[in-house]
Amino acid sequence: MNIRAIILEILKNRIGEYASAKKLQENLGLSLTFIYMLVKNENIKSRFKYGRKEYELSSFFKCLNFSTNMYPISNPLTQEDFYINNFFNWSPKNEIETFLENMLLDNLGEFCSTKDLVQMFGISKTSWYDLMERGAIMCLNIESRKIIVTRSLLPFLRESMQDF
């Protein structure tokens, strides 16, 4: 299953098959201007419900220009680095990590931006971008924006807590 299908399933479970532009903005962290521009220029299926326009989620996702930071790495990862960055390593291992995961998802949602992380942790944008480039945090590129998968922060936070 590719990353686009995983994200689509997560969003369908949260907001349903159709969503308004406001819900898309809240859940994806995209600006309303970008959403309306995309809807206007692309052939996205929509419907009117309760007097407002809703857009089909799968049709909206087909129009997004996705790429990820999961590009081939020139230097192979060590076994320890592979374990830290593995998709299946995102689940919490103890009560503290469960609390952290719940806090992240409650405050940031499934996806967030670097601005959200700067506000929450007080760490500069440059540091977050460096982590994304190294592959420590998974992000999606939608046009020129980087959208971070919030659950991918858990291995980074786990590694950071071990330093204390």
Side-chain angles (χ1 to χ4, degrees), residues 19-114:
S20 65
K22 183 69 174 166
K23 273 193 178 179
L24 290 171
Q25 177 205 16
E26 291 169 357
N27 288 286
L28 290 175
L30 300 172
S31 69
L32 280 174
T33 307
F34 177 77
I35 292 170
Y36 286 128
M37 180 194 68
L38 188 67
V39 167
K40 182 179 178 185
N41 294 329
E42 301 292 333
N43 189 16
I44 296 177
K45 295 178 184 174
S46 62
R47 71 176 183 189
F48 280 95
K49 186 174 183 182
Y50 304 119
R52 69 172 181 214
K53 199 169 195 176
E54 293 184 336
Y55 305 102
E56 185 183 41
L57 208 54
S58 57
S59 178
F60 184 80
F61 259 66
K62 287 178 188 174
C63 296
L64 290 176
N65 183 13
F66 272 118
S67 62
T68 64
N69 65 340
M70 296 171 59
Y71 50 84
I73 300 171
S74 57
N75 298 331
L77 291 174
T78 64
Q79 186 64 31
E80 182 180 326
D81 288 339
F82 176 76
Y83 179 73
I84 289 170
N85 297 320
N86 191 349
F87 172 77
F88 299 105
N89 194 26
W90 292 359
S91 60
K93 304 270 187 241
N94 55 35
E95 290 83 25
I96 294 171
E97 291 181 10
T98 304
F99 171 77
L100 272 174
E101 181 185 43
N102 290 337
M103 183 187 74
L104 288 171
L105 293 175
D106 290 344
N107 292 325
L108 301 174
E110 291 288 339
F111 308 100
C112 61
S113 65
T114 52

